[in-house]
Amino acid sequence: MGFSNSTYPMSSNDMLTSLLPEWPAWAINLLLAMTGALTVTLLMNYFYTPDDEKASAKEKSVLKSTNKTHEALHTEFNSFRKSYLSVYLVIMLADWMQGTHMYTLYLSYDVNISALFLTGFLSGAIFAPFLGSLVDKFGRKRSCIVYCVLEIIINWLEHYSSFEILLLGRVLGGISTNLLFSAFESWMATEHRKKGFPDEWMARTYSECSIGNGATAILAGVIAQVLEDWRGHIGPFQGAIALTMLALLLILRWDENYGETKDAKEEGSSLYRQFTDGWKLVASDSRVFRIGLVQALSEGGVYTFVFMWVPTLLGMNPPGGVPTGCVFSAMMMAITIGGIVFQPLEHFIGTALKTKAKATDWSAVFSYIMASLSMSVPALCLCCSPAETCFDKILLSFIVIEFCVGLSSPIGGVLRSKYVPDAYQGAIMNIFRLPLNAVVVSGTHATDVLPQYQVYGIVSILFLTAAAIQATLAIDNRDARKKVDAWPMLVATVFPILPKRRWLREIPNGFSHSTADASTPSRAQFKRTSKGKDVQPYFATELKFCSVLDVFDYAYQSTCAEMEQMQERHAAAKAKIDLQVKERHAAKVNLEIIGDPT
């Protein structure tokens, strides 16, 4: 009878389950659900036409005026995009292969793992402010080559179990990480514009980078496991060496570009000037400052989450345990979905707003708010509910934040190319890796000293703050390349309502973008003198309260040129009033003379 029972035909569900590893039911369901979601997203994206493939008759005529039709320029763009993606994907595959097995390798060496990881982050923080200027000064292509050489050396050092040698590898790893996230992107953005491609087309490159990043992460887990089974714990690192050498050969085909023009180089510009100019730009341009701050807060929150998700799921003791490889694959699928959704979402938001200029900014706000909400779920559940009852909600929130990571990655790239000048791409991106590493180190320390729900609450606040700062960029309608004073923006962000202060720059009563009239200055606008010299206007004593939007609106118009024009208008108005007074006085004198009986 036992034989007869075994002859019953298997259902399709049982057959599919028999082909999968012996994972818990919830893990298999998660993987199948994410596979289905990715398939549906790919099918929907198949019918979406990217912006770079669209061209109106006007756009075609503009391209023809440059002796290149839209089709010819698009063919050249596809060749350029594939050339960059071929290097980027190989580099990211090598990087993921190291990351998935670095912990187990160090564990087999029986060394202080936390000290090694902390050294890597500190090295990145120390060298970040200087590396960007080196990238811009000595060339982005050369910097990418240096990255490949460093990675080959680092992975070779991983063969030795000596703590001192591994520590040297982590110091070099901090340098190479800064190069990875600055040199490659700055080369691509500058070369994109150098070849004359429209800025709107850059979104497709960033989107495909995000999609490829998630796909290579999934592939890296499989390849790394095969290499580990074949060569031991060091196998994935040997594979990374081979991939990095391949990427090095591909980079040699690239053209070189710099963070400055040829004319500037001939004038004898120095590395010191490149370094100081980058910092001055951050201090003087509010938009660059805020874009960098958003990057530091959001990526710092992501890195902190990466340290948290495995111990959180393991501590909840789900039925059948936690197959981390399965969950990791599901998360990487979510990143891939986010990268695919980016361009359709940006197009939808641009259509809803009836403008493409701020579509990426509002997409970023949407992404950061969603990430903040997703991190509030584990913060509330772990604080107020038994862990066993919240497993499904927390797991879903982890998938959502990884979707936001995939979505925000191309968004961040587009915004950096929009607001950061090409000449300082490398410098600016590395400057803000200093606060990024500070947030990461603080986050990793918080995971050791604070309850999990508090750490997730902090991460949620980081994303919410990033969304608020990004929103200030989205509501501003001025030119993205216009320099402005950063510090009134920072003060206004910290203090939503500003009382009257004489040390702040003047903001007229009732001033707003819609009602301001430069030809009719308010009573609050006036000049003060210091030792016989004119100085910038300040708050008048009668100024009451000023909202954040008033600060933003006026601060962006308070450039030096505009202040000089305002002073000229005031002088002209005063001269006109003086002339009227003199004319009235003269008329009065004439009347007195005529009316005199003598």
Side-chain angles (χ1 to χ4, degrees), residues 302-317:
V302 171
Y303 281 120
T304 304
F305 163 75
V306 168
F307 283 105
M308 290 289 294
W309 74 266
V310 173
T312 299
L313 294 182
L314 291 175
M316 300 181 74
N317 297 317

Side-chain angles (χ1 to χ4, degrees), residues 69-131:
T69 64
H70 178 272
E71 291 76 14
L73 192 64
H74 190 265
T75 300
E76 186 179 343
F77 169 69
N78 282 335
S79 176
F80 164 75
R81 178 169 52 85
K82 291 175 182 177
S83 174
Y84 174 71
L85 286 173
S86 63
V87 174
Y88 178 83
L89 296 180
V90 171
I91 286 295
M92 295 310 299
L93 180 60
D95 186 64
W96 278 114
M97 286 176 61
Q98 302 170 55
T100 55
H101 285 71
M102 185 172 291
Y103 184 88
T104 56
L105 177 69
Y106 291 163
L107 193 64
S108 67
Y109 288 160
D110 193 23
V111 294
N112 190 335
I113 300 175
S114 59
L116 291 174
F117 279 108
L118 184 61
T119 300
F121 286 121
L122 290 177
S123 171
I126 292 171
F127 289 102
F130 313 102
L131 280 176

